[in-house]
Amino acid sequence: MSISGLPDDIFNARYMSSIFSTAVGALVNCAVFLFFRSKQNIRLSCLDIAIFIFLCCYWMNSSAWDSIYNIGYACLIMFYCAVKCTPVLRLNILYWACLCSLSFLSVWGYLQLCRFLPSPNPYFKVTGPFYHPTYLGLTLSALMCIVIHVIMFHILHRKYTKGLFIMESVCLLSAIPILIYTESRTAWFALIMSVILPYATRQIWGKYSIRKKVLVVTVATIFSSGLLIAFYTLKPISADGRLLIWKVGYGMIKDKPATGFGKGGFEANYLYYQAKYLLTENATEKEKYIAGNTHMAFNDFLRIGVEHGITGLVLYMAFIITLFGISGKKTLSMYISKSVLFLIVLQGLFSYPYMIYPVMAIGVVALALLSRGIRHFRSFNLPLKYINIFIAVAIISLTFLIYRKYAAYHELYAGMKNNGYNEFPAKLKQLFPKLKEDNIFLTYYCKIMEKAGNWEELSKSISILEKNHPTPALFIQKGDLLQKKSLLEEAEKAYRLAADMVPSEQKARGRLAFLYKKMGKNGEAYELANILLTEKVKNYGFETFKLHSKLKKEFQLKKRRFPLGQIQNQ
């Protein structure tokens, strides 16, 4: 069972678990605010309104209001409101929660290393309660950033008790090996820079001349560049893959520079643009080999530029600069808040922290603490009763929505476990309206409807995914459906698009080879089959073995090789 209670049998359960857990935790904290509220009116500023609007625009997807992702983000926004409006914050409680969370994740990682707990991902030993180690690495780096800054403060000011110092040091040191095992270069880089740069700025910046400040900036630039080069050499193919994504993403921004593609536009359009780029003369053989089936930008600035255009990108950068540039109380909480937000911005340069709800929860607390500590020049009083009504209505509404989604996923699990196969497609059709915003569910829905032979439902769900979450596998499925309808030319286009999206995958081209033979294009069929059997395979698995065996049997190819020049001319 995952930490939210969703069974692991449900696809994507680990990620859903983090959303449900974070959302419920946020709502519990909002409810606590209602019980321990101040009797005075709440003082809000223009910055609070700007942060509220920013979070709504940054997270919420207006085309899928009922999705679990939107519900989770809405809970985090309410969490920000509760932390901001709480009259007296117990910062020591927040810090203890941070230490407990860090210890919990570290212990989970060690138990996975020792094989007392299984890793849900067969390719990685350590993932924590998540499916992928990147989620664990980015979460650990955010928690460790807080603990490191507190320890440094205690050492510099000699304000600590021996017991607490030993405890937080043990928590920090025990987390370091787990962070290393996650192999998340982004987490390493963001943690190092979010500790060194804020400290250097605070200790050095205001005490030296302009010449020495320039020297500090130069040294910092060389150091960060050196780190990036070192981390690049650890996984150069992965890094080159991200460079390809950024290159294609830049082309997307050029197509719609003013308004962008809208929220979710990168996920919905990237693979189409990658396929288009890889067919041009500018694409290298290496890029065709490393191109993957991805929907992540691995850069927040690029993603926002694609989805909201140059206007949205400028507003995003202006908001970040304002947060870091505005003055406030010189307290430890302010200093740590800015460091944590700086860390999340750095994570966003090479990864996707906006999708990791525990990291976003930490960021929300940092934003609220930052807003509480800033000197507001323009503010106004809001009657307490309005705040109470707003938070109470939001808690009730979001609790209802969370329960409804949670019940839908458990109903799905019960259907998978208890219903016979003949009854299961009918059960899925009942759940379709409740879970249609979940692209992973739709992908699963397509597979079940294909096995059940329900072509109408399959065609409907494929049409939705084509617009929101295209993949090579989806277009292979579409091609198979079109073949069953004897629409061979349309099936060829679908297979060809799937092959163009990720050229290194052989499945779509294998379908094309069999289709060409069926259409009577024997020359093209044999040439393509020869390429598939003789080229270097990126990921050789059981599916590749089955494909090669079928190709050899169908085309009677063993060690026979056809001239490849004909393929290049087709």
Side-chain angles (χ1 to χ4, degrees), residues 295-542:
H295 298 89
M296 307 289 188
F298 291 96
N299 187 289
D300 258 2
F301 293 91
L302 177 68
R303 179 182 64 85
I304 290 171
V306 169
E307 295 183 349
H308 303 289
I310 302 297
T311 305
L313 182 59
V314 170
L315 290 175
Y316 175 69
M317 294 176 66
F319 180 79
I320 291 175
I321 293 170
T322 301
L323 280 183
F324 292 131
I326 199 166
S327 61
K329 300 175 184 177
K330 295 183 178 180
T331 61
L332 178 61
S333 62
M334 277 285 292
Y335 175 65
I336 292 178
S337 297
K338 285 192 175 183
S339 298
V340 168
L341 293 174
F342 180 57
L343 172 133
I344 293 174
V345 171
L346 290 176
Q347 289 180 347
L349 292 177
F350 309 103
S351 195
Y352 38 86
Y354 72 97
M355 290 192 61
I356 305 176
Y357 283 73
V359 174
M360 291 296 97
I362 296 170
V364 159
V365 175
L367 265 179
L369 293 177
L370 190 66
S371 178
R372 292 169 67 98
I374 286 176
R375 299 185 183 95
H376 301 291
F377 298 101
R378 293 185 180 181
S379 58
F380 55 91
N381 288 328
L382 192 65
L384 183 63
K385 62 179 181 180
Y386 295 135
I387 294 290
N388 291 339
I389 292 172
F390 173 69
I391 293 182
V393 170
I395 289 175
I396 294 171
S397 303
L398 291 172
T399 301
F400 169 74
L401 291 173
I402 288 174
Y403 175 76
R404 191 172 70 168
K405 286 293 179 185
Y406 186 77
Y409 280 106
H410 269 280
E411 193 177 350
L412 171 64
Y413 170 66
M416 294 167 64
K417 187 175 181 181
N418 301 323
N419 289 335
Y421 178 76
N422 293 331
E423 300 176 4
F424 190 45
K427 188 71 174 178
L428 275 182
K429 285 180 68 175
Q430 296 175 6
L431 290 172
F432 182 83
K434 300 177 183 178
L435 300 175
K436 63 182 179 181
E437 297 88 0
D438 186 351
N439 294 323
I440 306 299
F441 167 78
L442 282 178
T443 303
Y444 180 73
Y445 187 80
C446 285
K447 292 179 180 178
I448 296 299
M449 292 303 154
E450 184 179 28
K451 289 181 180 179
N454 192 331
W455 310 132
E456 183 180 351
E457 287 295 317
L458 175 60
S459 180
K460 181 175 71 173
S461 50
I462 285 176
S463 298
I464 296 173
L465 285 172
E466 277 187 86
K467 298 176 183 177
N468 300 330
H469 191 80
T471 61
L474 177 71
F475 284 97
I476 291 173
Q477 202 168 34
K478 182 180 180 180
D480 294 344
L481 176 61
L482 291 169
Q483 273 206 74
K484 289 181 175 69
K485 294 181 178 181
S486 299
L487 300 172
L488 301 186
E489 291 184 359
E490 286 80 356
E492 180 185 356
K493 292 178 183 177
Y495 291 143
R496 175 56 61 191
L497 180 55
D500 292 340
M501 283 179 169
V502 185
S504 60
E505 290 188 2
Q506 292 195 336
K507 189 174 182 180
R509 288 180 291 154
R511 291 286 208 284
L512 269 177
F514 297 123
L515 178 63
Y516 284 152
K517 188 175 182 183
K518 185 176 181 180
M519 296 171 71
K521 300 179 180 180
N522 292 326
E524 294 178 1
Y526 274 86
E527 289 177 357
L528 187 53
N530 180 66
I531 288 179
L532 292 172
L533 289 171
T534 56
E535 72 179 5
K536 179 183 178 182
V537 180
K538 185 177 180 180
N539 296 307
Y540 193 96
F542 185 66

Side-chain angles (χ1 to χ4, degrees), residues 54-113:
F54 170 79
L55 292 178
C56 291
C57 296
Y58 182 68
W59 281 335
M60 307 300 287
N61 188 347
S62 59
S63 62
W65 285 111
D66 196 31
S67 70
I68 183 59
Y69 312 105
N70 267 1
I71 295 171
Y73 287 137
C75 291
L76 288 179
I77 292 173
M78 293 311 305
F79 185 36
Y80 166 80
C81 295
V83 175
K84 175 64 178 71
C85 297
T86 302
V88 179
L89 272 179
R90 301 289 182 180
L91 297 178
N92 57 334
I93 295 178
L94 292 176
Y95 184 57
W96 276 106
C98 172
L99 286 177
C100 291
S101 300
L102 184 61
S103 302
F104 171 76
L105 293 176
S106 300
V107 169
W108 196 311
Y110 282 113
L111 290 175
Q112 287 180 329
L113 270 179

